[in-house]
């Protein structure tokens, strides 16, 4: 049976460290603030934003919320972002995605100052990640690396397979594993013989958004399995991309859903906000 990687435990320890750093910065007279913009009433987005506010409160970061109506135009949103770029109380700016269809997400992300882009989505920050010279890292991949470190799971020399090639998780995840000297492969919807590829993985990261997509017969005995998925099953119950109950018997370490990667994502957002001030 696999050892369960407890994201809540890792997040708790990390947040204690962040809280101390925030207190030190405030003692030096520096403000530590995060602005979160939400457009429209997407229920999932609202849950995420509320959790971000709770996280800020927990570690002492000032939280500024801008809840805009669905009808907000792209120009209005960009005007707000520019205003926040020039606001000294705000060290980090996060625009909750997805945005309504009439707004170009890339155009909005590109308007955020790279120095305040705590999601690390701005092309300038993406470029820094590619060359391994970065201030900010995308929150989910960064959280996964923290978890591996916490459990003393070495990446160096290991075969790492990432299923999913999104800009938010898949691609940056591959870059971070590569930086730690993993031998990395990205698989996706066009990959042929996917099972053959995943069976060779010492570390398998599933980020496809499909309920229990990774089954026991796709996992090598003793592999480390990281489940990034956040799905609902046929009973409406929260579950991941991995068939946890069966894969757990085969893996050496595995993240549960919920309680695995999730708590680390917001924790790394708080980390990035503190980094913005320290930088």
């Amino acid at each position: 049976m696999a050892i369960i990687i407890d994201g809540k435990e890792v997040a708790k320890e990390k947040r204690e460290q962040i809280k101390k750093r925030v207190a030190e910065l405030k003692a030096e007279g520096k403000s530590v603030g995060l602005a979160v913009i939400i457009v429209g009433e997407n229920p999932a987005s609202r849950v995420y934003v509320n959790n971000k506010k709770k996280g800020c409160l927990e570690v002492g970061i000032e939280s500024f919320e801008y809840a805009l109506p669905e009808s907000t135009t792209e120009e209005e949103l960009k005007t707000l972002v520019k205003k926040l770029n020039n606001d000294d109380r705000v060290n980090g700016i996060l625009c909750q995605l997805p945005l309504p269809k009439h707004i170009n997400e890339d155009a909005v992300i590109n308007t955020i100052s790279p120095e305040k882009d705590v999601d690390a989505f701005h092309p300038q920050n993406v470029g820094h990640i590619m060359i391994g010279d970065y201030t900010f890292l995308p929150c989910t991949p960064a959280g996964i690396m923290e978890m591996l470190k916490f459990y003393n799971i070495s990446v160096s020399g290991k075969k790492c397979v990432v299923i999913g090639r999104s800009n938010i998780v898949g691609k940056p995840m591959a870059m971070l594993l590569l930086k730690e000297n993993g031998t990395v492969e990205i698989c996706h919807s066009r990959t042929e013989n996917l099972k053959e590829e995943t069976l060779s993985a010492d570390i398998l990261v599933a980020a496809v958004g499909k309920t229990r997509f990774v089954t026991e017969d796709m996992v090598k005995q003793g592999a480390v399995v990281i489940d990034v998925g956040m799905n609902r099953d046929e009973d409406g119950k929260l579950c991941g991309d991995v068939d946890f109950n069966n894969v757990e018997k085969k893996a050496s370490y595995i993240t549960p859903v919920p309680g695995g990667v999730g708590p680390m994502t917001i924790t790394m957002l708080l980390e990035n906000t503190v980094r913005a001030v320290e930088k």
Side-chain angles (χ1 to χ4, degrees):
M1 291 290 268
I3 292 168
I4 308 293
I5 297 177
D6 186 346
K8 289 180 188 167
E9 189 190 350
V10 186
K12 189 180 168 200
E13 184 168 298
K14 186 76 185 166
R15 287 188 191 199
E16 282 302 321
Q17 295 164 9
I18 293 168
K19 195 175 179 178
K20 282 179 191 154
R21 284 156 66 196
V22 171
E24 284 162 12
L25 289 164
K26 284 184 173 175
E28 291 167 21
K30 290 172 181 165
S31 65
V32 189
L34 173 68
V36 179
I37 304 167
I38 178 171
V39 185
E41 280 304 320
N42 179 317
S45 290
R46 174 41 67 194
V47 170
Y48 283 129
V49 168
N50 289 348
N51 286 339
K52 283 161 188 170
K53 278 164 74 175
K54 272 187 214 155
C56 285
L57 188 67
E58 189 187 325
V59 299
I61 292 173
E62 196 171 353
S63 173
F64 305 97
E65 185 190 305
Y66 296 86
L68 308 178
E70 186 90 22
S71 59
T72 301
T73 67
E74 189 179 306
E75 278 314 306
E76 286 169 335
L77 180 52
K78 281 159 72 176
T79 300
L80 171 62
V81 169
K82 286 171 190 168
K83 190 181 122 196
L84 296 173
N85 282 341
N86 296 314
D87 188 336
D88 291 340
R89 298 169 309 154
V90 174
N91 309 103
I93 301 168
L94 180 143
C95 193
Q96 184 66 44
L97 303 179
L99 290 169
K101 285 187 168 55
H102 65 275
I103 297 176
N104 181 330
E105 289 184 354
D106 289 340
V108 174
I109 288 164
N110 292 353
T111 307
I112 297 171
S113 161
E115 285 81 30
K116 294 190 177 187
D117 167 40
V118 286
D119 256 337
F121 291 165
H122 191 285
Q124 200 169 305
N125 286 326
V126 173
H128 280 296
I129 293 159
M130 284 296 294
I131 59 174
D133 159 35
Y134 46 75
T135 300
F136 304 128
L137 289 171
C139 301
T140 300
I144 291 167
M145 296 311 288
E146 285 287 333
M147 291 162 92
L148 293 174
K149 202 161 82 183
F150 187 90
Y151 280 85
N152 295 314
I153 298 166
S154 170
V155 174
S156 185
K158 301 276 175 65
K159 171 75 180 284
C160 307
V161 173
V162 180
I163 316 175
R165 53 176 164 180
S166 73
N167 292 334
I168 295 172
V169 181
K171 289 177 191 170
M173 187 74 245
M175 288 301 110
L176 298 192
L177 291 165
L178 191 60
K179 191 171 190 293
E180 293 300 318
N181 303 312
T183 301
V184 184
E185 185 178 342
I186 301 179
C187 294
H188 45 79
S189 57
R190 301 290 175 89
T191 300
E192 292 182 8
N193 306 319
L194 176 65
K195 184 175 163 185
E196 212 173 281
E197 306 300 342
T198 60
L199 275 170
S200 68
D202 301 306
I203 298 173
L204 179 63
V205 181
V208 282
K210 289 185 179 176
T211 303
R212 301 190 182 101
F213 178 79
V214 175
T215 49
E216 184 187 1
D217 61 342
M218 293 169 72
V219 178
K220 175 180 171 180
Q221 188 69 43
V224 175
V225 180
I226 307 291
D227 189 349
V228 184
M230 192 62 82
N231 316 305
R232 297 267 174 196
D233 66 11
E234 55 283 354
D235 303 321
K237 207 173 145 207
L238 213 54
C239 66
D241 289 348
V242 176
D243 178 8
F244 182 88
N245 291 341
N246 292 310
V247 172
E248 185 197 3
K249 298 166 191 163
K250 224 173 171 187
S252 57
Y253 290 85
I254 190 168
T255 60
V257 177
V261 174
M264 289 306 297
T265 298
I266 290 172
T267 301
M268 299 317 288
L269 172 69
L270 306 174
E271 164 75 25
N272 280 349
T273 306
V274 174
R275 278 190 179 186
V277 188
E278 291 172 342
K279 184 169 179 280

